[in-house]
Amino acid sequence: MHRTPTSQSPIGIFDSGVGGLTVLKAMQKLLPSEQLLYFGDTARVPYGTKSQVTIRRYAEEDTRILLRHQPKMIIVACNTVSALALDVVEKTADPLPVLGVLEAGADTAVEVTRTGRIGVIGTQATISSNAYAYAINQASADSEVFSTACPLFVPLAEEGMLNNEATRLIAREYLAPLLAEEIDTLVLGCTHYPILRTIIEETAGTGVTIIDSAEAVAARAAALLRNTGMEASGTRATIPHLMVSDLPQKFSSLYRLFMNATVPDVELVEV
Amino acid sequence: MHRTPTSQSPIGIFDSGVGGLTVLKAMQKLLPSEQLLYFGDTARVPYGTKSQVTIRRYAEEDTRILLRHQPKMIIVACNTVSALALDVVEKTADPLPVLGVLEAGADTAVEVTRTGRIGVIGTQATISSNAYAYAINQASADSEVFSTACPLFVPLAEEGMLNNEATRLIAREYLAPLLAEEIDTLVLGCTHYPILRTIIEETAGTGVTIIDSAEAVAARAAALLRNTGMEASGTRATIPHLMVSDLPQKFSSLYRLFMNATVPDVELVEV
């Protein structure tokens, strides 16, 4: 049985793993009074290398895990799910509003670009889906999108190699074809990438504006809550409710890397 | 119902994904007349970042998938499973013989070392388990083991960055603490690493013998079949029976990278 959500209901966020913590962090910063619920499917991470059929099945299961807690909104923090299975989440969560990082990043890029030449980087699955190019062209038919997959950025981020010569070489190699196209805007189309933002920004140079999809989706969530009168009242900062499907030793250290904070209590959920 | 296996029964090999194809390849080379069965759990790869409880559950399920085909022997091509769940596989497959890459690599290192100073590289889970150090010290109490996790080697191998400056820098960074200990033998404790063998060998230098666990386990399998009179008769090279739990686009290109061959028919198995 589902109750009608109120303004005090939580906001549910899910991701394939820890990457979506950049969305949690952006949400906390922008909406400190909201009760945030985070599910990271750490048992089945990564989604980016899996087939569409599998990703769509996982997306439905992940949404149902959040629905148990009667949220007022669902945020898909996973670019792969946003790209390949947003309709599955919308159908499963209906009539709740659903926001995807991908759409938020795409729309923000269109608002920011001056030349209409937009670069997108992400996992292989996100880039192969062409979902960013599609979403950007929906928002502005004149934009030209240049995209490239950067499969090593996730493990480099998780290794904490944030200021490292090898990371710099790899970033240069990945970004070269986009920079050759004279992009003026670059979308970080994977929630891990903000961790490497300094090196990506350095490599892209001052002429390129970086769009962080995590910040973009948090801004859209704030606007939606404001416009629908569903903002939580209260002035106290809340503690997020964290759920994961597997608890590797690694989780604590990654939580620290993403959130600059020690890990609070985490609930283990079976998938 | 299980029939008693005969010398013509297949040999079952499983891994968390495509990495175990290096074992398949070593087996094909050494035992061309054997019917080989390979299951890669591509839907749930990687195991290396997951908890022991999860890995043990997967190990049992993977073994059962191979048992459906009435094999005469099980080879655990996954170092993580060899390290954390070999007993689960043995119990599930009982009374069939079970060989793990880890034990084969450890025993071979002990045979080869002259100074007793052995280096081991692998995934975080394999290294944290200390299973190589344990197995090496079981075989030779005098050996000293120095090990380090190299989490970036798998994605670097899968990106095909086999002759690349960034890979060289990362290899140098990973291997430096082992080389400082003056090891004379280095075990590639992850089935992906043979793909990067050239760079690893160059970085380690001529004084260090590289042990490829995939070649080591194939040699043990050949010896066991010979000693038990269970070698398949026939002189024709067989085509391996491949099974995966998910079929990402990536599979074909990785198969080519690992096997230097185009991918044959692949059966999709649900997990």
Side-chain angles (χ1 to χ4, degrees), chain A residues 7-9 33-35 72 225 230-234:
Chain A
S7 60
Q8 296 309 112
S9 301
S33 306
E34 298 291 340
Q35 179 60 54
K72 62 182 174 187
L225 293 176
M230 288 291 274
E231 287 169 295
S233 56

Side-chain angles (χ1 to χ4, degrees), chain B residues 241-244 246-247 251 255 263-268:
Chain B
H241 178 169
L242 299 180
M243 299 177 289
V244 294
D246 194 18
L247 255 184
F251 187 78
Y255 190 89
V263 61
D265 286 345
V266 179
E267 183 189 345
L268 194 62

Side-chain angles (χ1 to χ4, degrees), chain A residues 32-159:
Chain A
S33 306
E34 298 291 340
Q35 179 60 54
L36 302 175
L37 199 62
Y38 181 87
F39 172 62
D41 191 6
T42 48
R44 304 190 294 198
V45 70
Y47 285 7
T49 49
K50 297 188 172 71
S51 70
Q52 187 164 1
V53 174
T54 302
I55 291 164
R56 292 173 72 84
R57 178 159 61 86
Y58 290 176
E60 181 180 338
E61 291 170 10
D62 298 346
T63 306
R64 292 202 188 285
I65 286 167
L66 293 177
L67 290 179
R68 289 182 208 154
H69 298 268
Q70 317 277 356
K72 62 182 174 187
M73 178 193 285
I74 303 277
I75 295 184
V76 181
C78 176
N79 275 281
T80 305
V81 171
S82 290
L84 302 174
L86 198 69
D87 58 313
V88 173
V89 180
E90 282 169 338
K91 203 179 146 200
T92 310
D94 184 61
L96 297 180
V98 172
L99 295 176
V101 270
L102 188 150
E103 295 69 21
D107 290 350
T108 307
V110 168
E111 286 162 22
V112 161
T113 185
R114 288 151 294 129
T115 62
R117 302 180 74 80
I118 299 171
V120 179
I121 52 177
T123 63
Q124 192 60 61
T126 300
I127 298 305
S128 301
S129 73
N130 281 310
Y132 264 104
Y134 179 80
I136 288 170
N137 284 134
Q138 287 287 102
S140 157
D142 299 336
S143 297
E144 270 201 274
V145 181
F146 307 93
S147 55
T148 194
C150 306
L152 283 162
F153 277 178
V154 167
L156 285 168
E158 294 201 348
E159 276 279 83

